[in-house]
Amino acid sequence: MKIISINAGSSSLKFQLFDMDSEKVLASGLFERIGIEGSLYTIKYNSEKIREEIELANHTDAVNILLEKLIALDIIASLDEIDGVGHRIVQGGDKYNKSVIITDEVISDIEAFKDLAPLHNPAGLLGIQAVREVLPDVPMVAVFDTAFHQTMKKERYLYPIPYAWYRDYKIRKYGFHGTSHRFIASKAKEILGRENIKVISCHLGSGGSICAIENGASIDTTMGFTPLAGIMMGTRSGDIDPSIIPYIMEKEGKNASEIIDDLNKVSGLLGVSETSSDFRDISKGISEGNSQCLLAQEIFIRRVVAYIAEYYVLLNGADMIVFTAGIGENSLDVRGKIVERLSCLGIKLDESANDSRGEIKKISTDDSSVLVYAIPTDEELMIARDTLELVQNG
Ligand code: AMP
């Protein structure tokens, strides 16, 4: 069985084609600058990589070219080999607690949730519509970032604001990165060989969130009504005092959406370091004595540690803390420093084990009170697995 997982952005389309018997990636790639001058695509397969500038007027063009290339490059013999297509959809509201086969009703729900995810859901719909046009008979599945967090209890997902805002406008914590946290939960279960485990999953990428997981279910997570909440991120502030917004609106003569844009795009590591949103640049800056970079890293670490501590208490102890995504998988220094700050809980870093990237690795000592692991996440595989399961079993 062959499944394509798709992550569509407003002007991009990322894909992976899986052979689900072996869960091997047969091809992966990215279509960029869709609808913009200078559009191009990259496809990787076997050990080859092709890159071509080509006009892509819309997402349908991208899907058409993708399928054409898969055949031309002999990756598949015909379109009949595609058994299903899974789409990453950011916001599934409080209606979807798991992945679903895409029907007209699902499409209109994703459309309706646009209000809650104005940047992301419309992009997901572009991907769905493009595949529907090109492969009308192939089943498609929606995999929601929010679905995994639907197990949170009301006292965890409600904000202490007028209850009518929740009742009338559905203002609540939704949480995101659910597909990654679910992948980590399943890996932790595999590693420990039992179901009833408590895991603190730290997805530290350019976007980041932490999730408290008990018995395979999310009980709390740091992102909120939108992905702007929680820990400090590459360009996003994470949690701040909301009174800052009207104050800075007046000081800078901006409107609320311009300030939210600043909190999303020029805050976080970039905002504090005044150098870069990329942790590699922050680390380089620190090694060159840049004090703003050091400050940015310090705030980042402090905020991650604070949430791990909160979730440790919420879970009444933890079996495993996991680091994943770009920073969690690769920045040995940052994850080492985070673990060191947890020493008051009896959590101990194994420094030599921490010298590892790109593999599942225990990085805590044998006498650490909690296991600490680095685990590479794989959201695309999760999307493909859900798609296969629904295509086969409905
Ligand atoms: P992601 O969004 O998961 O792709 O993660 C992107 C983040 O991971 C960026 O801040 C990168 O700087 C960071 N990252 C990737 N590789 C490394 C590395 N080798 N060392 C430190 N940070 C890294």
Side-chain angles (χ1 to χ4, degrees):
M1 302 276 283
K2 294 195 177 75
I3 301 285
I4 302 179
S5 85
I6 284 187
N7 186 349
S10 54
S11 64
S12 67
L13 186 141
K14 236 197 296 191
F15 83 93
Q16 287 196 4
L17 169 69
F18 288 90
D19 170 9
M20 293 309 288
D21 298 328
S22 59
E23 292 195 335
K24 196 176 150 222
V25 178
L26 300 176
S28 64
L30 175 65
F31 290 73
E32 293 173 86
R33 301 180 62 83
I34 298 172
I36 305 171
E37 213 182 283
S39 44
L40 72 154
Y41 73 85
T42 344
I43 297 181
K44 291 187 204 162
Y45 65 109
N46 296 326
S47 329
E48 313 271 332
K49 179 172 169 179
I50 55 165
R51 183 179 183 281
E52 189 183 356
E53 286 191 21
I54 193 163
E55 196 187 326
L56 302 167
N58 49 43
H59 286 66
T60 309
D61 278 1
V63 173
N64 265 317
I65 289 168
L66 161 61
L67 296 170
E68 221 174 78
K69 295 292 162 191
L70 290 179
I71 293 173
L73 296 168
D74 260 345
I75 299 165
I76 54 172
S78 85
L79 296 184
D80 297 341
E81 286 184 38
I82 310 291
D83 298 295
V85 178
H87 294 267
R88 177 190 182 199
I89 303 296
V90 166
Q91 180 55 271
D94 55 7
K95 179 164 177 182
Y96 294 100
N97 61 5
K98 53 181 188 322
S99 305
V100 287
I101 294 271
I102 295 176
T103 59
D104 289 342
E105 183 189 338
V106 173
I107 290 177
S108 65
D109 285 338
I110 296 170
E111 176 98 35
F113 298 139
K114 253 178 13 190
D115 206 21
L116 294 172
L119 299 177
H120 294 106
N121 272 27
L125 281 171
L126 287 173
I128 291 174
Q129 275 145 5
V131 175
R132 213 182 208 196
E133 256 177 64
V134 182
L135 296 171
D137 299 323
V138 173
M140 295 193 290
V141 166
V143 180
F144 301 97
D145 265 24
T146 46
F148 182 60
H149 302 298
Q150 281 297 305
T151 45
M152 285 188 293
K153 289 199 179 129
K154 213 168 189 171
E155 62 265 30
R156 302 298 309 184
Y157 71 67
L158 276 191
Y159 293 110
I161 53 176
Y163 194 79
W165 294 3
Y166 167 63
R167 200 173 37 234
D168 298 344
Y169 310 119
K170 302 223 162 161
I171 295 180
R172 49 158 287 177
K173 178 187 280 194
Y174 289 99
F176 300 87
H177 288 146
T179 312
S180 173
H181 292 305
R182 185 157 56 98
F183 179 83
I184 296 302
S186 78
K187 278 285 164 203
K189 186 179 113 182
E190 237 175 83
I191 292 166
L192 292 176
R194 58 194 165 87
E195 188 83 48
N196 58 336
I197 52 170
K198 300 171 188 178
V199 179
I200 300 172
S201 167
C202 306
H203 179 111
L204 309 180
S206 48
S209 70
I210 304 181
C211 182
I213 301 164
E214 189 165 26
N215 299 336
S218 167
I219 61 165
D220 203 355
T221 190
T222 56
M223 283 180 168
F225 179 60
T226 70
L228 182 53
I231 58 172
M232 179 182 188
M233 298 171 234
T235 59
R236 288 181 215 146
S237 61
D239 297 339
I240 61 158
D241 181 342
S243 308
I244 294 169
I245 297 172
Y247 188 81
I248 199 74
M249 277 167 69
E250 207 177 306
K251 291 279 176 208
E252 301 219 326
K254 290 181 174 172
N255 62 33
S257 68
E258 286 170 323
I259 302 297
I260 291 295
D261 227 37
D262 288 348
L263 293 172
N264 269 302
K265 295 185 182 152
V266 295
S267 299
L269 292 170
L270 174 63
V272 178
S273 71
E274 298 185 314
T275 302
S276 172
S277 62
D278 191 303
F279 232 108
R280 285 164 288 204
D281 300 333
I282 301 290
S283 304
K284 187 163 169 276
I286 293 171
S287 69
E288 291 164 358
N290 181 326
S291 60
Q292 290 302 117
C293 287
L294 187 61
L295 184 62
Q297 174 174 285
E298 178 56 27
I299 299 174
F300 180 87
I301 292 174
R302 196 179 61 83
R303 292 192 150 214
V304 170
V305 168
Y307 270 114
I308 294 176
E310 180 187 335
Y311 291 167
Y312 182 86
V313 173
L314 173 68
L315 290 163
N316 195 19
D319 296 296
M320 193 187 280
I321 296 171
V322 180
F323 290 94
T324 193
I327 301 166
E329 290 168 28
N330 298 298
S331 179
L332 315 182
D333 185 43
V334 168
R335 78 180 177 211
K337 286 196 164 77
I338 293 169
V339 179
E340 278 163 8
R341 303 263 180 115
L342 298 166
S343 64
C344 64
L345 299 173
I347 299 169
K348 295 185 193 162
L349 177 75
D350 180 337
E351 275 183 39
S352 65
N354 190 36
D355 190 15
S356 142
R357 291 189 176 99
E359 54 170 350
I360 297 181
K361 189 77 191 255
K362 174 169 149 297
I363 59 166
S364 51
T365 58
D366 289 343
D367 64 344
S368 171
S369 61
V370 179
L371 287 165
V372 185
Y373 269 80
I375 301 180
T377 193
D378 198 339
E379 290 162 285
E380 290 74 20
L381 176 59
M382 233 27 208
I383 292 172
R385 281 182 183 164
D386 283 6
T387 305
L388 178 71
E389 155 79 22
L390 283 162
V391 166
Q392 283 182 327
N393 304 321

